[in-house]
Coordinates of all heavy atoms in Angstrom, one line a residue:
M1 N 46.1 25.8 2.1 CA 44.8 25.4 1.7 C 44.2 26.6 1.0 O 44.2 27.7 1.4 CB 44.0 25.1 3.0 CG 42.6 24.6 2.7 SD 42.0 24.0 4.3 CE 40.3 24.1 3.9
K2 N 43.6 26.3 -0.2 CA 43.0 27.4 -1.0 C 41.5 27.6 -0.6 O 40.8 26.7 -0.1 CB 43.0 27.0 -2.5 CG 44.4 27.0 -3.1 CD 44.3 26.9 -4.5 CE 45.7 27.2 -5.1 NZ 45.7 27.5 -6.5
T3 N 41.2 28.9 -0.7 CA 39.8 29.3 -0.4 C 39.1 29.6 -1.7 O 39.6 29.4 -2.8 CB 39.8 30.5 0.5 OG1 40.5 31.6 -0.1 CG2 40.5 30.1 1.9
I4 N 37.9 30.2 -1.6 CA 37.1 30.6 -2.7 C 37.9 31.7 -3.5 O 38.4 32.6 -2.8 CB 35.7 31.1 -2.3 CG1 35.0 29.9 -1.7 CG2 35.0 31.7 -3.5 CD1 33.6 30.3 -1.2
P5 N 38.0 31.7 -4.8 CA 38.7 32.7 -5.5 C 38.2 34.1 -5.3 O 37.0 34.3 -5.1 CB 38.5 32.3 -7.0 CG 38.2 30.8 -6.9 CD 37.5 30.6 -5.6
K6 N 39.1 35.0 -5.3 CA 38.7 36.4 -5.0 C 38.2 37.2 -6.2 O 37.5 38.2 -6.0 CB 39.9 37.1 -4.3 CG 40.4 36.5 -3.1 CD 40.2 37.3 -1.9 CE 40.9 36.7 -0.7 NZ 40.0 36.3 0.3
N7 N 38.7 36.8 -7.4 CA 38.2 37.6 -8.5 C 36.8 37.4 -8.9 O 36.3 36.3 -8.7 CB 39.2 37.5 -9.7 CG 39.2 36.1 -10.3 OD1 38.4 35.3 -9.9 ND2 40.1 35.9 -11.1
A8 N 36.1 38.4 -9.4 CA 34.7 38.3 -9.6 C 34.3 37.3 -10.7 O 33.3 36.7 -10.7 CB 34.2 39.7 -10.0
A9 N 35.2 37.2 -11.8 CA 34.8 36.4 -12.9 C 34.8 34.9 -12.5 O 33.9 34.2 -12.8 CB 35.8 36.6 -14.0
T10 N 35.8 34.5 -11.7 CA 35.8 33.1 -11.2 C 34.7 32.8 -10.3 O 34.0 31.8 -10.3 CB 37.1 32.8 -10.5 OG1 38.2 33.1 -11.4 CG2 37.3 31.3 -10.2
R11 N 34.4 33.7 -9.4 CA 33.3 33.6 -8.4 C 31.9 33.5 -9.2 O 31.1 32.7 -8.8 CB 33.3 34.7 -7.4 CG 32.2 34.6 -6.4 CD 32.3 35.7 -5.4 NE 33.4 35.4 -4.5 CZ 33.9 36.3 -3.6 NH1 33.4 37.5 -3.5 NH2 35.0 36.0 -2.9
N12 N 31.8 34.3 -10.2 CA 30.5 34.3 -11.0 C 30.4 33.0 -11.7 O 29.3 32.4 -11.8 CB 30.6 35.5 -11.9 CG 29.2 35.7 -12.6 OD1 28.2 35.3 -12.1 ND2 29.3 36.2 -13.8
L13 N 31.5 32.5 -12.3 CA 31.4 31.2 -13.0 C 31.0 30.1 -12.0 O 30.2 29.2 -12.3 CB 32.8 30.9 -13.6 CG 32.8 29.6 -14.4 CD1 31.9 29.6 -15.6 CD2 34.3 29.3 -14.9
L14 N 31.6 30.1 -10.8 CA 31.3 29.0 -9.8 C 29.8 29.1 -9.4 O 29.1 28.1 -9.2 CB 32.2 29.2 -8.6 CG 33.6 28.7 -8.7 CD1 34.4 29.1 -7.5 CD2 33.7 27.3 -9.1
C15 N 29.3 30.3 -9.2 CA 27.9 30.5 -8.9 C 27.0 30.0 -10.0 O 26.0 29.4 -9.7 CB 27.6 31.9 -8.5 SG 28.2 32.5 -6.9
Q16 N 27.3 30.3 -11.2 CA 26.5 29.9 -12.4 C 26.5 28.3 -12.5 O 25.5 27.7 -12.8 CB 27.0 30.5 -13.6 CG 26.7 32.0 -13.7 CD 27.2 32.6 -15.0 OE1 28.0 32.0 -15.8 NE2 26.8 33.9 -15.3
C17 N 27.7 27.7 -12.3 CA 27.8 26.3 -12.3 C 27.0 25.6 -11.2 O 26.3 24.6 -11.5 CB 29.2 25.8 -12.3 SG 30.2 26.2 -13.7
A18 N 27.1 26.2 -10.0 CA 26.3 25.6 -8.9 C 24.8 25.8 -9.2 O 24.0 24.9 -8.9 CB 26.7 26.3 -7.6
A19 N 24.4 26.9 -9.7 CA 23.0 27.2 -10.0 C 22.5 26.2 -11.1 O 21.4 25.7 -11.0 CB 22.8 28.6 -10.5
A20 N 23.3 25.9 -12.1 CA 22.9 25.0 -13.2 C 22.8 23.6 -12.6 O 21.8 22.9 -13.0 CB 23.9 25.1 -14.3
L21 N 23.7 23.2 -11.8 CA 23.6 21.8 -11.2 C 22.4 21.7 -10.3 O 21.7 20.7 -10.4 CB 24.9 21.5 -10.5 CG 26.1 21.3 -11.4 CD1 27.3 21.1 -10.5 CD2 25.9 20.1 -12.3
L22 N 22.1 22.7 -9.5 CA 21.0 22.6 -8.6 C 19.7 22.7 -9.4 O 18.7 22.0 -9.1 CB 21.0 23.7 -7.6 CG 22.0 23.5 -6.4 CD1 22.1 24.8 -5.6 CD2 21.5 22.4 -5.5
L23 N 19.7 23.5 -10.5 CA 18.5 23.6 -11.3 C 18.2 22.2 -11.9 O 17.0 21.8 -11.9 CB 18.7 24.6 -12.4 CG 17.5 24.9 -13.3 CD1 17.5 26.4 -13.6 CD2 17.6 24.1 -14.6
L24 N 19.2 21.5 -12.4 CA 19.0 20.1 -13.0 C 18.5 19.2 -11.9 O 17.6 18.4 -12.2 CB 20.2 19.6 -13.6 CG 20.7 20.3 -14.9 CD1 22.1 19.8 -15.3 CD2 19.7 20.1 -16.0
L25 N 19.0 19.3 -10.7 CA 18.6 18.4 -9.6 C 17.1 18.6 -9.3 O 16.4 17.6 -9.2 CB 19.5 18.7 -8.4 CG 19.0 18.0 -7.1 CD1 19.4 16.5 -7.2 CD2 19.6 18.6 -5.9
W26 N 16.7 19.9 -9.1 CA 15.4 20.1 -8.7 C 14.4 19.8 -9.8 O 13.3 19.4 -9.5 CB 15.2 21.6 -8.2 CG 16.0 21.9 -7.0 CD1 16.8 22.9 -6.8 CD2 16.1 21.1 -5.8 NE1 17.4 22.9 -5.5 CE2 17.0 21.7 -4.9 CE3 15.5 19.9 -5.4 CZ2 17.3 21.2 -3.6 CZ3 15.8 19.4 -4.1 CH2 16.7 20.1 -3.3
A27 N 14.7 20.1 -11.0 CA 13.8 19.9 -12.2 C 13.6 18.3 -12.3 O 12.5 17.9 -12.5 CB 14.4 20.4 -13.4
Y28 N 14.7 17.6 -12.2 CA 14.5 16.1 -12.3 C 13.7 15.6 -11.1 O 12.8 14.7 -11.3 CB 15.9 15.4 -12.3 CG 15.8 14.0 -12.2 CD1 15.4 13.2 -13.3 CD2 16.1 13.3 -11.0 CE1 15.3 11.8 -13.2 CE2 16.0 11.9 -10.9 CZ 15.6 11.2 -12.0 OH 15.5 9.8 -11.9
A29 N 14.0 16.0 -9.9 CA 13.3 15.5 -8.7 C 11.8 15.8 -8.8 O 11.0 14.9 -8.5 CB 14.0 16.1 -7.4
A30 N 11.5 17.0 -9.1 CA 10.1 17.4 -9.2 C 9.4 16.7 -10.3 O 8.2 16.2 -10.1 CB 9.9 18.9 -9.3
T31 N 10.0 16.6 -11.4 CA 9.4 15.9 -12.6 C 9.1 14.4 -12.3 O 8.0 13.9 -12.6 CB 10.2 16.1 -13.8 OG1 10.4 17.5 -14.1 CG2 9.6 15.5 -15.0
S32 N 10.1 13.8 -11.7 CA 9.9 12.3 -11.4 C 8.8 12.1 -10.4 O 8.1 11.1 -10.5 CB 11.2 11.7 -10.9 OG 11.6 12.2 -9.7
K33 N 8.7 13.0 -9.4 CA 7.6 12.9 -8.4 C 6.2 13.1 -9.0 O 5.3 12.5 -8.7 CB 7.8 13.9 -7.3 CG 9.0 13.5 -6.4 CD 9.2 14.5 -5.3 CE 10.4 14.0 -4.5 NZ 11.4 15.1 -4.3
L34 N 6.1 14.1 -9.9 CA 4.8 14.4 -10.5 C 4.4 13.4 -11.6 O 3.2 13.2 -11.8 CB 4.9 15.8 -11.1 CG 5.0 17.0 -10.1 CD1 5.2 18.3 -10.8 CD2 3.8 17.0 -9.2
L35 N 5.4 12.8 -12.3 CA 5.0 11.8 -13.3 C 4.5 10.5 -12.7 O 3.7 9.9 -13.3 CB 6.2 11.6 -14.2 CG 6.6 12.7 -15.2 CD1 7.9 12.3 -16.0 CD2 5.5 13.0 -16.1
D36 N 5.0 10.2 -11.6 CA 4.6 9.0 -10.9 C 4.0 9.4 -9.5 O 4.5 9.0 -8.5 CB 5.7 8.0 -10.7 CG 5.2 6.6 -10.4 OD1 4.0 6.4 -10.4 OD2 6.1 5.7 -10.3
F37 N 3.0 10.2 -9.5 CA 2.5 10.9 -8.3 C 1.9 9.9 -7.3 O 2.1 10.0 -6.1 CB 1.5 12.0 -8.7 CG 1.0 12.8 -7.5 CD1 1.9 13.7 -7.0 CD2 -0.2 12.6 -7.0 CE1 1.5 14.4 -5.9 CE2 -0.7 13.3 -5.9 CZ 0.2 14.3 -5.3
D38 N 1.2 8.9 -7.8 CA 0.5 8.0 -6.9 C 1.6 7.2 -6.1 O 1.4 6.9 -4.9 CB -0.4 7.0 -7.6 CG -1.6 7.7 -8.2 OD1 -2.1 8.7 -7.5 OD2 -2.1 7.3 -9.2
R39 N 2.6 6.8 -6.8 CA 3.7 6.1 -6.1 C 4.4 7.0 -5.1 O 4.7 6.6 -4.0 CB 4.7 5.5 -7.1 CG 5.8 4.8 -6.5 CD 6.7 4.2 -7.6 NE 7.9 3.5 -6.9 CZ 9.0 3.3 -7.5 NH1 9.1 3.6 -8.8 NH2 10.0 2.7 -6.9
F40 N 4.7 8.2 -5.5 CA 5.3 9.2 -4.6 C 4.5 9.4 -3.3 O 5.0 9.4 -2.2 CB 5.6 10.5 -5.3 CG 6.0 11.6 -4.4 CD1 7.2 11.5 -3.6 CD2 5.2 12.7 -4.3 CE1 7.5 12.6 -2.8 CE2 5.6 13.8 -3.4 CZ 6.7 13.7 -2.7
R41 N 3.2 9.6 -3.5 CA 2.3 9.8 -2.4 C 2.3 8.6 -1.5 O 2.3 8.7 -0.3 CB 0.9 10.2 -2.8 CG 0.1 10.6 -1.6 CD -1.3 11.1 -1.9 NE -1.7 11.2 -3.3 CZ -2.8 11.7 -3.7 NH1 -3.6 12.3 -2.9 NH2 -3.0 11.8 -5.0
G42 N 2.2 7.4 -2.1 CA 2.2 6.2 -1.3 C 3.5 6.0 -0.5 O 3.5 5.6 0.7
E43 N 4.6 6.4 -1.1 CA 5.9 6.3 -0.3 C 5.9 7.3 0.8 O 6.5 7.1 1.8 CB 7.1 6.5 -1.3 CG 7.3 5.3 -2.2 CD 8.4 5.6 -3.2 OE1 9.0 6.6 -3.2 OE2 8.6 4.7 -4.0
L44 N 5.3 8.5 0.5 CA 5.3 9.5 1.5 C 4.4 9.1 2.7 O 4.7 9.4 3.9 CB 4.8 10.8 0.9 CG 5.0 12.1 1.7 CD1 6.5 12.3 1.9 CD2 4.5 13.3 0.8
L45 N 3.3 8.4 2.4 CA 2.4 7.9 3.4 C 3.1 6.8 4.3 O 2.7 6.6 5.4 CB 1.1 7.4 2.8 CG 0.2 8.4 2.3 CD1 -0.9 7.8 1.5 CD2 -0.4 9.3 3.4
N46 N 4.1 6.2 3.8 CA 4.8 5.2 4.6 C 5.9 5.7 5.5 O 6.5 5.0 6.2 CB 5.5 4.1 3.6 CG 4.5 3.2 3.0 OD1 3.4 3.0 3.5 ND2 4.8 2.7 1.8
Q47 N 6.1 7.0 5.4 CA 7.1 7.7 6.3 C 6.5 8.0 7.7 O 5.3 7.8 7.9 CB 7.6 9.0 5.6 CG 8.2 8.8 4.3 CD 9.4 7.9 4.3 OE1 10.3 8.1 5.1 NE2 9.5 7.0 3.3
A48 N 7.4 8.4 8.6 CA 7.0 8.6 9.9 C 6.4 10.0 10.1 O 6.7 10.7 11.1 CB 8.2 8.4 10.9
I49 N 5.5 10.4 9.3 CA 4.7 11.6 9.4 C 3.3 11.3 9.4 O 2.9 10.2 8.9 CB 5.1 12.7 8.3 CG1 4.8 12.1 6.9 CG2 6.5 13.1 8.4 CD1 5.0 13.1 5.8
S50 N 2.4 12.2 9.9 CA 1.0 11.9 10.0 C 0.4 11.9 8.5 O 0.9 12.6 7.7 CB 0.3 12.9 10.8 OG 0.4 14.2 10.2
H51 N -0.7 11.2 8.4 CA -1.3 11.1 7.1 C -1.9 12.5 6.7 O -2.0 12.9 5.6 CB -2.4 10.1 7.1 CG -1.9 8.7 7.1 ND1 -1.8 8.0 5.9 CD2 -1.3 7.9 8.1 CE1 -1.2 6.8 6.2 NE2 -1.0 6.7 7.5
E52 N -2.3 13.3 7.7 CA -2.9 14.6 7.5 C -1.8 15.5 6.9 O -2.1 16.4 6.1 CB -3.5 15.2 8.8 CG -4.7 14.5 9.3 CD -4.3 13.3 10.1 OE1 -3.2 13.1 10.5 OE2 -5.2 12.4 10.3
A53 N -0.6 15.3 7.3 CA 0.5 16.2 6.8 C 1.1 15.6 5.5 O 1.6 16.4 4.6 CB 1.7 16.3 7.8
A54 N 0.9 14.4 5.2 CA 1.5 13.8 4.0 C 0.7 14.2 2.7 O 1.4 14.4 1.7 CB 1.4 12.2 4.1
Y55 N -0.5 14.4 2.8 CA -1.3 14.8 1.6 C -0.9 16.2 1.1 O -0.6 16.4 -0.1 CB -2.8 14.7 1.8 CG -3.2 13.3 1.8 CD1 -3.7 12.6 2.9 CD2 -3.2 12.5 0.6 CE1 -4.1 11.3 2.9 CE2 -3.6 11.2 0.6 CZ -4.0 10.6 1.7 OH -4.4 9.3 1.7
P56 N -0.9 17.2 2.0 CA -0.4 18.6 1.5 C 1.1 18.5 1.1 O 1.5 19.2 0.1 CB -0.7 19.5 2.6 CG -1.4 18.8 3.6 CD -1.4 17.3 3.3
L57 N 1.9 17.8 1.8 CA 3.3 17.7 1.5 C 3.6 17.0 0.2 O 4.5 17.4 -0.5 CB 4.0 16.9 2.6 CG 5.5 17.0 2.7 CD1 6.0 18.5 2.8 CD2 6.0 16.2 3.8
S58 N 2.7 16.1 -0.2 CA 2.9 15.5 -1.5 C 2.7 16.5 -2.7 O 3.2 16.2 -3.8 CB 1.9 14.3 -1.7 OG 0.5 14.8 -1.8
W59 N 2.0 17.6 -2.5 CA 2.0 18.6 -3.5 C 3.0 19.7 -3.3 O 3.5 20.3 -4.2 CB 0.6 19.2 -3.5 CG -0.4 18.4 -4.2 CD1 -1.4 17.6 -3.6 CD2 -0.6 18.1 -5.6 NE1 -2.1 16.9 -4.6 CE2 -1.6 17.2 -5.8 CE3 0.1 18.6 -6.7 CZ2 -2.0 16.8 -7.1 CZ3 -0.3 18.2 -8.0 CH2 -1.3 17.3 -8.1
L60 N 3.2 20.1 -2.0 CA 4.1 21.2 -1.7 C 5.6 20.9 -2.0 O 6.3 21.7 -2.5 CB 4.0 21.5 -0.2 CG 2.7 22.3 0.2 CD1 2.7 22.5 1.7 CD2 2.6 23.6 -0.5
L61 N 6.0 19.6 -1.8 CA 7.4 19.3 -2.1 C 7.8 19.4 -3.6 O 8.7 20.1 -3.9 CB 7.7 17.9 -1.5 CG 9.1 17.5 -1.5 CD1 10.0 18.5 -0.7 CD2 9.3 16.1 -1.0
P62 N 7.0 18.8 -4.5 CA 7.4 19.0 -5.9 C 7.2 20.5 -6.4 O 8.0 21.0 -7.2 CB 6.4 18.1 -6.7 CG 5.9 17.2 -5.7 CD 6.0 17.8 -4.4
L63 N 6.2 21.2 -5.8 CA 6.1 22.6 -6.2 C 7.2 23.4 -5.7 O 7.7 24.4 -6.4 CB 4.7 23.1 -5.7 CG 3.5 22.5 -6.5 CD1 2.2 23.0 -5.8 CD2 3.5 22.8 -7.9
S64 N 7.7 23.2 -4.5 CA 8.8 23.9 -4.0 C 10.1 23.6 -4.7 O 10.9 24.5 -4.9 CB 9.0 23.7 -2.5 OG 9.3 22.3 -2.2
E65 N 10.2 22.4 -5.2 CA 11.4 22.0 -6.0 C 11.4 22.7 -7.3 O 12.4 23.2 -7.8 CB 11.5 20.5 -6.2 CG 11.8 19.7 -4.9 CD 11.6 18.3 -5.0 OE1 11.0 17.8 -6.0 OE2 12.1 17.6 -4.1
L66 N 10.2 22.8 -8.0 CA 10.1 23.5 -9.2 C 10.3 25.0 -9.0 O 10.8 25.7 -9.9 CB 8.7 23.3 -9.8 CG 8.5 21.9 -10.5 CD1 7.0 21.8 -11.0 CD2 9.4 21.7 -11.7
S67 N 9.8 25.5 -7.9 CA 10.1 26.9 -7.5 C 11.5 27.2 -7.4 O 12.0 28.3 -7.9 CB 9.3 27.3 -6.3 OG 7.9 27.2 -6.4
A68 N 12.3 26.4 -6.7 CA 13.7 26.5 -6.6 C 14.4 26.5 -7.9 O 15.3 27.4 -8.2 CB 14.3 25.5 -5.7
A69 N 14.0 25.6 -8.8 CA 14.6 25.5 -10.2 C 14.2 26.8 -10.9 O 15.1 27.4 -11.6 CB 14.0 24.3 -10.9
G70 N 13.0 27.3 -10.8 CA 12.7 28.6 -11.5 C 13.4 29.8 -11.0 O 13.8 30.6 -11.7
L71 N 13.6 29.8 -9.7 CA 14.4 30.9 -9.1 C 15.8 30.9 -9.5 O 16.4 32.0 -9.7 CB 14.2 30.9 -7.6 CG 12.9 31.3 -7.0 CD1 12.9 31.0 -5.5 CD2 12.6 32.8 -7.2
L72 N 16.4 29.7 -9.7 CA 17.8 29.6 -10.1 C 18.0 30.0 -11.6 O 19.2 30.2 -12.0 CB 18.3 28.2 -9.8 CG 18.5 27.9 -8.3 CD1 18.6 26.4 -8.2 CD2 19.6 28.6 -7.7
L73 N 17.0 30.1 -12.3 CA 17.1 30.4 -13.8 C 17.6 31.9 -14.0 O 18.3 32.1 -15.0 CB 15.8 30.2 -14.5 CG 15.4 28.9 -15.0 CD1 14.0 28.9 -15.5 CD2 16.4 28.4 -16.0
F74 N 17.2 32.8 -13.1 CA 17.4 34.2 -13.4 C 18.4 34.7 -12.4 O 18.3 34.5 -11.2 CB 16.1 35.0 -13.3 CG 15.1 34.4 -14.2 CD1 14.0 33.7 -13.7 CD2 15.2 34.6 -15.6 CE1 13.1 33.1 -14.6 CE2 14.2 34.1 -16.5 CZ 13.2 33.3 -16.0
P75 N 19.4 35.6 -12.8 CA 20.4 36.1 -11.9 C 19.8 37.0 -10.8 O 20.3 37.0 -9.7 CB 21.2 37.0 -12.8 CG 21.0 36.5 -14.2 CD 19.6 35.9 -14.2
N76 N 18.7 37.7 -11.1 CA 18.0 38.5 -10.0 C 17.4 37.7 -8.9 O 17.3 38.2 -7.8 CB 17.0 39.4 -10.6 CG 17.6 40.4 -11.6 OD1 18.7 40.7 -11.5 ND2 16.7 41.0 -12.4
T77 N 17.0 36.5 -9.2 CA 16.4 35.6 -8.1 C 17.2 34.4 -7.7 O 16.7 33.6 -7.0 CB 15.0 35.1 -8.7 OG1 15.2 34.4 -9.8 CG2 14.1 36.3 -8.9
S78 N 18.4 34.4 -8.2 CA 19.3 33.2 -7.9 C 19.6 33.1 -6.4 O 19.7 32.0 -5.9 CB 20.5 33.2 -8.7 OG 21.4 34.2 -8.4
R79 N 19.7 34.2 -5.7 CA 20.0 34.2 -4.3 C 18.9 33.5 -3.5 O 19.1 32.6 -2.7 CB 20.3 35.6 -3.7 CG 20.7 35.6 -2.3 CD 21.1 37.0 -1.8 NE 21.4 37.1 -0.4 CZ 22.5 36.8 0.1 NH1 23.6 36.5 -0.7 NH2 22.7 36.9 1.4
A80 N 17.6 33.9 -3.9 CA 16.5 33.2 -3.3 C 16.4 31.7 -3.6 O 16.1 30.9 -2.8 CB 15.2 33.9 -3.7
G81 N 16.8 31.4 -4.9 CA 16.9 30.0 -5.3 C 17.9 29.2 -4.5 O 17.7 28.1 -4.1
F82 N 19.1 29.8 -4.2 CA 20.1 29.1 -3.4 C 19.6 29.0 -2.0 O 19.8 27.9 -1.4 CB 21.4 29.9 -3.4 CG 22.2 29.7 -4.6 CD1 22.6 30.8 -5.4 CD2 22.7 28.4 -5.0 CE1 23.3 30.6 -6.6 CE2 23.4 28.2 -6.1 CZ 23.8 29.3 -6.9
L83 N 18.9 29.9 -1.4 CA 18.3 29.8 -0.1 C 17.3 28.7 0.0 O 17.3 27.9 1.0 CB 17.8 31.1 0.4 CG 18.8 32.2 0.7 CD1 18.1 33.6 1.0 CD2 19.7 31.8 1.8
L84 N 16.4 28.7 -1.0 CA 15.4 27.7 -1.0 C 16.0 26.3 -1.2 O 15.6 25.3 -0.6 CB 14.3 27.9 -2.1 CG 13.2 27.0 -2.2 CD1 12.4 26.8 -0.9 CD2 12.2 27.4 -3.3
S85 N 17.0 26.2 -2.0 CA 17.8 25.0 -2.2 C 18.4 24.5 -0.9 O 18.3 23.3 -0.6 CB 18.9 25.1 -3.2 OG 18.3 25.4 -4.5
A86 N 18.9 25.4 -0.1 CA 19.5 25.0 1.2 C 18.4 24.5 2.1 O 18.7 23.5 2.8 CB 20.2 26.2 1.8
V87 N 17.3 25.1 2.1 CA 16.2 24.6 3.0 C 15.7 23.2 2.5 O 15.5 22.3 3.3 CB 15.0 25.6 2.9 CG1 13.7 25.0 3.6 CG2 15.4 26.9 3.6
L88 N 15.6 23.0 1.2 CA 15.1 21.7 0.7 C 16.2 20.6 0.9 O 15.8 19.5 1.2 CB 14.8 21.8 -0.8 CG 13.6 22.6 -1.2 CD1 13.5 22.8 -2.7 CD2 12.4 21.8 -0.8
L89 N 17.4 21.0 0.9 CA 18.5 20.0 1.1 C 18.5 19.6 2.6 O 19.0 18.5 2.9 CB 19.8 20.5 0.6 CG 20.0 20.5 -0.9 CD1 21.3 21.3 -1.3 CD2 20.0 19.1 -1.5
T90 N 18.1 20.4 3.5 CA 18.1 20.1 4.9 C 16.8 19.3 5.3 O 16.8 18.8 6.4 CB 18.2 21.3 5.8 OG1 17.2 22.2 5.5 CG2 19.6 22.0 5.5
L91 N 15.8 19.2 4.5 CA 14.6 18.5 4.9 C 14.9 17.0 4.9 O 15.3 16.3 4.1 CB 13.5 18.8 3.9 CG 12.9 20.2 4.0 CD1 11.8 20.4 3.0 CD2 12.4 20.5 5.4

């Protein structure tokens, strides 16, 4: 069974590909939520969370997705972008 490649060039390429794919995911997810905001907020209000939490969450979720995409753009902040992506994927 093969593991993650040991040489730096291959590891760097894999990290860049993962960052690019996550960046596209978060940019699309946030944009679609913000473009049809009323529908997104309505769907969020239908979930099993309180209405008091749904209103701030309707703004925080797309903003955190855009933040993750922005952090993944730059090599210096990509680690924070990967961590934020992990948190968002577990929600």
Side-chain angles (χ1 to χ4, degrees):
M1 184 170 160
K2 290 193 170 195
T3 59
I4 296 175
K6 302 243 187 247
N7 63 9
T10 306
R11 185 177 285 169
N12 189 26
L13 179 65
L14 287 174
C15 285
Q16 287 178 352
C17 288
L21 290 172
L22 284 170
L23 187 141
L24 290 173
L25 171 76
W26 297 131
Y28 172 76
T31 304
S32 67
K33 287 175 181 133
L34 291 173
L35 287 177
D36 199 0
F37 186 73
D38 291 330
R39 181 177 176 201
F40 168 63
R41 188 178 354 191
E43 290 176 1
L44 197 58
L45 288 169
N46 288 332
Q47 300 300 315
I49 57 174
S50 68
H51 287 261
E52 292 82 18
Y55 286 110
L57 193 60
S58 66
W59 283 103
L60 288 175
L61 190 58
L63 289 177
S64 62
E65 292 170 346
L66 285 175
S67 297
L71 288 170
L72 289 167
L73 276 174
F74 305 105
N76 292 341
T77 59
S78 65
R79 184 173 175 89
F82 280 121
L83 290 173
L84 182 55
S85 295
V87 169
L88 287 170
L89 288 170
T90 58
L91 291 179

